[in-house]
Each structure stands twice: as C-alpha cells, then as structure tokens.
C-alpha cells in the first residue's frame, strides 16, 4: 500500500524538523503547520489554542500539491522514504507578508527570508510519523527525553541553557560562566543544522566547545549536546523559539544575549530582550545579558552591567565576525577576543 501513496521529496531542514516534531523538541507543535496555525503564529505569536510559539514550522513546496485533507503522503529524503504525513491542510502562502511578519523584512539579503522564498509558496500541514531516523551521535545528539534523564541522573534541578551557532569566543565563555553561577549545570546546546555560509562549520564549533570545556570549565557541570535544527536568523522571534525548545529539553533558565539570533543590522540589539515582555510566562526563566567586551581598566571581560562606564573607546568589542576576518587574513586574533588555545581549531574552519 505504501508504494501507491504519493511522495514528496524533502530537504535536510525538513528532515530535521520532522524528527524534532516527533521527539517533542518542538512541543506543543505536533506537525507541519496548517494555514490556520501558520497565520496565527505569524500574526499573534500564538498557536490557535493560545500557546506561545513564534516560528512557523513549514513543509513548503514549489508546485501546487495534488493532495488534500485526509490524504497520506510519504516524505522522501535522498531517495529514501523517511516519514508519513497525515495531510490536514494543503494551501498557498503569501511569502512576502510571512517574511515581514516573522523576520521583520522581506529583503533577500536576510538569509532566513532568502531561504523561505526559495522553498516555494505552497505548503502541506499535518502530523508526521517517522519511519527512518538519521544516524546520530549518542554522545552529542540526545532527544529531549534523554536530556531530561541526564539532568535527573546528575541531580541538576536548575539548568541554564546556552544557545550558540558559533564557535566560542570570550563573550560566550563569559555567558557560560554566568550560567554556572546561577545553576547546578549548564547545557551548551549548539545548532547542528544549516547555518549561513560564512559561519563556522558545525564540526569546528563542536570541537572548539569540547576543547573549551575540557581545558577551562568544570566539565562535570557542563553538558555539551547539539540541537539538530537549522538557524532561522529571526532575531527576537527566534530567541523565544530557542527558549521554548530548551524548556522541552529540560532547561529551567535560558541565556539571551545581545542581538540573539540576529544577522547583519536587521534587528535592534535588544529586541530579543524586549520581546519576552510582550509574552506571558513561558515556563523557563529568561536571563538577559547585555553587550560583553574586554575592558582594560576592569582588567578583563565585562558587560554593560558590570563595567562602570570606563572609557568606551578603550573597550574591545568581542565579535566572531572580527575573529573570522582576522583568521582569513592570516592574522592571530588577540587573547581578548578568543582563547589562544582554540585558535588552531578555528583555523580549520576558515
């Protein structure tokens, strides 16, 4: 019977999404979104039943689907059937409007907008049943259930989650250490899915965090697991999405830094802080952290809330964009930006 069902070929992003839907990582979302769900999330930052959710989880198509509500569709990835979709809706999207609502822009210079527009204006919504799971590292990729069990075994009742799409620089380390002061343990949870072209490769990011944890942090209080989802670069909306997902993984606190999930100059640096004021309690405590920099007068890494406004022109802003630029120029980033011990690893990714 399966052989007679219509098939839809999906990409890597959708493969990751359907697995996150199946494991509960995207709870309370349970399937690729219907039109009603998509519009509700885009316009109200809520699912139709009222739960907060900020990023549409879509199965987009280039051509009008030849199936409708009540049909079953086999989802195929790299010529292999991987899941069954119970179609609840087949619809067309206004991608320009959706881009403005979710990303705050319709400019294709924004990587999230560019990807959304490229995937096509049609969509299928419905629950999914995964038939074939991706091979995954048992050490690095854990489901929400496995991660929560890990925390219980460790006796961690307060867990701070640290989201990252980048290799660690000094500001990242500052945030992790802040998390260690607040909680029993820190979940370092880097994005394992697709990122923009000039970001570091995933394997370099993971290797650099492993080196940081092994050499410079209390390894028994830091868990390094990965989140297999693509970056959306949706700024404040993605900050909320990241927080909700980490709650599903068992975190009690979530760090939100300056320009969280931002890209270029598309978002106000503190929009990702303010968005949480517009929402009801999410069941996870948001730890807002301002800009982090090196201050020679303070004598080390400081933030806007810990440095007493010393000479601003003497501060060294900490930016992975600057680190990548220096590495590509064949220059060594100063120790104020990144630990010297991590530089050989980072050089592998430029």
């Amino acid at each position: 019977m399966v052989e007679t069902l219509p098939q839809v070929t999906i990409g890597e992003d959708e493969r990751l999404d359907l697995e996150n839907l199946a494991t509960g990582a995207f709870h309370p979302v349970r399937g690729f979104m219907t039109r009603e769900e998509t519009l509700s999330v885009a316009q109200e930052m809520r699912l139709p039943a009222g739960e907060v959710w900020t990023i549409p989880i879509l199965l987009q198509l280039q051509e009008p689907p030849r199936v409708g509500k009540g049909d079953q569709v086999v989802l195929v990835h790299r010529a292999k059937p991987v899941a069954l979709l119970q179609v609840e809706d087949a619809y067309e999207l206004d991608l320009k409007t959706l881009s403005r609502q979710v990303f705050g822009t319709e400019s294709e210079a924004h990587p999230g907008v560019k990807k959304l527009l490229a995937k096509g204006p049609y969509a299928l919504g419905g629950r999914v049943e995964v038939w074939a799971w991706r091979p995954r590292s048992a050490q690095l990729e854990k489901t929400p259930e496995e991660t929560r069990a890990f925390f219980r075994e460790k006796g961690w009742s307060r867990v701070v989650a640290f989201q990252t799409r980048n290799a660690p620089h000094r500001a990242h380390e500052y945030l992790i250490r802040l998390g260690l002061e607040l909680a029993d343990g820190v979940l370092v949870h880097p994005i394992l899915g697709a990122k923009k072209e000039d970001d570091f490769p995933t394997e370099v990011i993971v290797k650099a965090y492993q080196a940081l944890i092994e050499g410079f942090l209390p390894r028994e209080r830091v868990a390094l697991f990965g989140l297999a989802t693509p970056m959306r670069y949706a700024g404040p909306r993605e900050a909320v999405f990241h927080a909700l997902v980490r709650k599903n993984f068992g975190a009690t606190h979530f760090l939100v830094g300056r320009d969280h999930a931002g890209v270029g100059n598309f978002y106000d640096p503190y929009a990702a802080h303010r968005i949480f004021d517009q929402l009801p309690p999410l069941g996870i405590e948001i730890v807002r952290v301002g800009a982090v920099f090196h201050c020679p007068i303070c004598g080390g890494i400081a933030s806007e809330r810990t440095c007493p406004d010393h000479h601003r022109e003497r501060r060294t802003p900490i930016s992975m964009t600057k680190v990548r630029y220096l590495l590509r120029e064949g220059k060594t980033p100063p120790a104020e930006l990144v630990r010297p011990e991590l530089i050989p690893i980072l050089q592998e990714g430029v």
Side-chain angles (χ1 to χ4, degrees):
M1 177 182 174
V2 171
E3 292 77 10
T4 65
L5 293 177
Q7 296 186 351
V8 169
T9 297
I10 62 173
E12 186 66 20
D13 290 352
E14 292 72 27
R15 176 76 185 276
L16 299 181
D17 281 347
L18 73 88
E19 292 193 3
N20 283 318
L21 291 167
T23 63
F26 288 175
H27 176 81
V29 183
R30 294 180 172 84
F32 288 111
M33 289 186 174
T34 63
R35 181 202 302 271
E36 179 187 17
E37 291 169 330
T38 300
L39 295 181
S40 181
V41 166
Q43 296 167 7
E44 307 293 336
M45 296 193 293
R46 305 287 199 284
L47 291 165
E51 306 103 320
V52 172
W53 195 264
T54 54
I55 299 287
I57 306 299
L58 300 173
L59 176 55
Q60 291 174 250
L61 307 171
Q62 294 285 353
E63 304 292 336
R66 298 182 180 180
V67 295
K69 184 175 182 178
D71 289 333
Q72 294 182 319
V73 173
V74 177
L75 303 182
V76 178
H77 181 256
R78 296 180 181 174
K80 179 180 179 180
V82 295
L84 183 69
L85 172 70
Q86 302 283 348
V87 180
E88 297 175 23
D89 198 5
Y91 57 103
E92 187 172 359
L93 292 160
D94 180 344
L95 293 179
K96 292 285 189 180
T97 298
L98 187 63
S99 295
R100 290 194 300 272
Q101 291 169 332
V102 175
F103 298 104
T105 178
E106 59 183 61
S107 169
E108 292 191 50
H110 187 294
V113 172
K114 182 178 180 180
K115 182 179 284 190
L116 180 72
L117 298 179
K119 288 187 176 183
Y122 304 98
L124 292 175
R127 300 286 184 93
V128 290
E129 175 188 345
V130 178
W131 289 342
W133 297 81
R134 293 174 303 112
R136 62 186 176 98
S137 163
Q139 294 299 316
L140 183 62
E141 278 194 70
K142 294 186 182 295
T143 66
E145 182 179 0
E146 291 167 342
T147 304
R148 293 192 299 266
F150 174 88
F151 296 154
R152 288 194 299 270
E153 182 179 336
K154 298 280 274 185
W156 295 357
S157 59
R158 289 167 60 90
V159 180
V160 170
F162 172 67
Q163 145 72 28
T164 183
R165 72 169 199 257
N166 244 322
H169 53 44
R170 291 286 191 171
H172 296 138
E173 182 178 340
Y174 179 94
L175 293 176
I176 294 170
R177 292 184 184 277
L178 173 61
L180 287 167
E181 295 286 357
L182 296 174
D184 302 314
V186 169
L187 169 64
V188 177
H189 216 205
I191 295 290
L192 303 182
K195 294 170 279 291
K196 58 188 176 67
E197 290 182 1
D198 62 345
D199 282 347
F200 280 100
T202 295
E203 58 273 16
V204 170
I205 294 169
V206 171
K207 188 175 179 181
Y209 274 102
Q210 288 171 335
L212 177 65
I213 294 166
E214 288 292 320
F216 303 100
L217 295 171
R219 66 187 73 174
E220 73 281 357
R221 294 184 56 222
V222 182
L224 174 62
F225 303 140
L227 177 60
T229 194
M231 274 298 298
R232 275 81 174 175
Y233 302 95
R237 279 181 175 252
E238 192 161 5
V240 178
F241 166 73
H242 285 159
L244 292 170
V245 170
R246 275 33 182 258
K247 179 182 73 170
N248 292 332
F249 277 86
T252 59
H253 296 66
F254 183 67
L255 291 161
V256 178
R258 181 184 182 277
D259 201 26
H260 184 107
V263 62
N265 296 312
F266 282 101
Y267 304 106
D268 178 274
Y270 292 105
H273 286 189
R274 295 192 298 270
I275 192 171
F276 291 96
D277 296 330
Q278 306 171 32
L279 301 170
L282 301 180
I284 185 169
E285 186 170 335
I286 306 303
V287 182
R288 299 169 172 89
V289 184
V292 177
F293 44 81
H294 182 272
C295 174
I297 301 176
C298 289
I301 305 300
S303 77
E304 292 176 335
R305 299 186 68 178
T306 63
C307 175
D309 203 23
H310 287 137
H311 301 291
R312 289 178 175 266
E313 67 275 8
R314 296 184 63 184
R315 292 175 177 175
T316 301
I318 301 174
S319 161
M320 192 52 78
T321 300
K322 177 67 171 178
V323 172
R324 287 194 299 266
Y325 170 79
L326 291 172
L327 290 173
R328 287 167 182 163
E329 291 291 308
K331 300 174 183 177
T332 300
E336 292 83 4
L337 293 183
V338 64
R339 281 194 176 273
E341 295 85 354
L342 301 183
I343 289 175
I345 299 173
L346 301 186
Q347 287 172 331
E348 299 173 13
V350 297

